[in-house]
Amino acid sequence: MKPTKANLLLILLLAASVLAVFWPILFGGQVIVGRWTLFDQYPRLAWLSRALAEGGSVLWTSNFLGGFPIYLGTWGEHIQPLAHWLLGTFGYLAVTHWTMFANTFLSGLLIYFFVRQLSLSKPAALLTAGVYMFNQWHLFYNNMTFWSNVYPVIPWLFLSVLRVARGQRFYLIGITAALAYGWISVMTDVILYVTLAALFFALFLDWTGQSTKRWRATGYYLLAAGTGILFALPRLLPIVDFVELTTRAGGIAISGGWLASAESSGYFGLNTLISLFYPYFSVLYSDFIPFLRGADKLTFLYVGAVPLILLITFFLGWRGTMQKNPLAKYFAVLFVFTFLMLIKYVPLYCLIRQLPVLKLFGGTGKFTFLTFFS
């Protein structure tokens, strides 16, 4: 990003819009009252802050059940020196809230520059940035950092892959940094799906002749991604070593055979799919209606009116869009693929879970971050 007046105005505009939303928790002394914040995010960082202040272990806590190995969890703060310094200096509330701000702001900034690389206009890129930052799905999960840390990682990674494919090898650093940070700070299965999606993006660029050299994007991506994952090994190796002693060994069992039950697989019910268009949809006694009930009644897909209008507009004119911009083909396929993963009676998720490594994870909703990105 060049330090031009236009880019400075862009940064100020995005920062001001995010500050307007998060002002109450950043400067108003307020907190987020929710299931995840009260039972996980705040207590976890409060415990880590206290452990650091008292010189205790940050790898194990005796405050959960009979003791819990923090280093095997889905969090990465325990091995991040910067996180330790921030917690000790500013406290866990400020760190949580400013991380939410940073993830939202950076995701908007990066998606703007990524969309510009797709040859869209500045107004279109600015609209996309606003939609990506403030869609309801992102706001809903923003209060858990191991979810929201992926918001900037996705456009950061895809932007870097595209620039490398076009001959700018400097962006190999972007791929490495994005995946090193992602594999340390994001929930493991979410960043795994993002890593694979970026790999298929590189393959798409090579296959369709949009790289400067044959297989340039894929080869460089594998090199840079492998390097990034190496930086994350301090977090990953203990998990890999321990997984055989857990219920995930050999893969998570899904009851009900090929058409697995919503409870064990995390499929969304019809009520959740309807919430994509109407967030307050509810039916009395929905728990007793098999097709209606989803795995998590607190989950909804609603992203807002503007994203829905853009989505419908795209599919209405998809032929022309793909002719003008061949990259739209990849993102259309990514959207359809990840969306179908959510639906119980499409056996796509069951097929994917037969693959090595992927069978260790459950919860179709983890694909949704890619769905709304695409």
Side-chain angles (χ1 to χ4, degrees), residues 53-326:
E54 297 174 352
S57 173
V58 298
L59 302 179
W60 178 272
T61 176
S62 57
N63 297 329
F64 183 73
L65 299 178
F68 185 80
I70 294 295
Y71 62 92
L72 298 177
T74 57
W75 325 283
E77 298 95 346
H78 60 283
I79 59 171
Q80 298 179 34
L82 178 59
H84 293 180
W85 178 79
L86 291 172
L87 286 169
T89 305
F90 301 104
Y92 68 94
L93 287 177
V95 170
T96 296
H97 298 158
W98 280 102
T99 299
M100 292 169 58
F101 167 84
N103 285 336
T104 304
F105 166 70
L106 290 175
S107 68
L109 187 65
L110 289 164
I111 202 74
Y112 175 88
F113 288 112
F114 178 61
V115 170
R116 290 290 291 145
Q117 288 297 311
L118 300 180
S119 302
L120 273 70
S121 65
K122 291 182 179 179
L126 191 60
L127 176 62
T128 305
V131 167
Y132 190 70
M133 289 191 300
F134 299 123
N135 74 74
Q136 292 297 307
W137 176 268
H138 279 180
L139 292 177
F140 184 74
Y141 284 103
N142 203 355
N143 55 10
M144 291 296 295
T145 53
F146 61 72
W147 293 115
S148 63
N149 286 341
V150 81
Y151 297 171
V153 168
I154 298 176
W156 178 10
L157 181 59
F158 277 75
L159 173 63
S160 299
V161 172
L162 184 59
R163 298 300 287 266
V164 167
R166 292 175 176 175
Q168 298 171 289
R169 287 184 292 179
F170 172 79
Y171 283 87
L172 287 169
I173 298 175
I175 297 175
T176 298
L179 288 179
Y181 173 74
W183 279 96
I184 289 174
S185 64
V186 177
M187 182 169 280
T188 308
D189 38 355
V190 174
I191 192 61
L192 172 62
Y193 302 148
V194 171
T195 303
L196 293 175
L199 171 60
F200 284 112
F201 183 54
L203 287 167
F204 174 83
L205 293 173
D206 285 330
W207 184 262
T208 56
Q210 298 184 64
S211 296
T212 55
K213 293 182 181 180
R214 189 68 168 171
W215 304 119
R216 176 191 185 94
T218 305
Y220 276 132
Y221 176 79
L222 291 173
L223 175 64
T227 304
I229 294 173
L230 283 176
F231 282 109
L233 285 182
R235 180 199 174 198
L236 297 177
L237 286 179
I239 298 175
V240 173
D241 183 60
F242 191 76
V243 72
E244 290 299 323
L245 301 177
T246 71
T247 56
R248 293 181 184 267
I252 297 178
I254 295 183
S255 62
W258 191 254
L259 296 179
S261 69
E263 289 76 14
S264 59
S265 63
Y267 284 113
F268 289 166
L270 183 59
N271 60 336
T272 312
L273 299 179
I274 293 174
S275 73
L276 177 63
F277 303 95
Y278 183 65
Y280 304 110
F281 177 77
S282 178
V283 174
L284 189 64
Y285 303 120
S286 62
D287 284 354
F288 302 99
I289 305 175
F291 290 95
L292 196 63
R293 182 165 52 96
D296 188 347
K297 290 176 286 187
L298 296 179
T299 299
F300 62 96
L301 291 180
Y302 185 70
V303 290
V306 175
L308 284 176
I309 292 172
L310 295 176
L311 177 65
I312 294 171
T313 302
F314 169 78
F315 280 105
L316 287 176
W318 66 274
R319 291 182 183 273
T321 302
M322 291 184 181
Q323 289 176 354
K324 293 178 182 178
N325 194 335

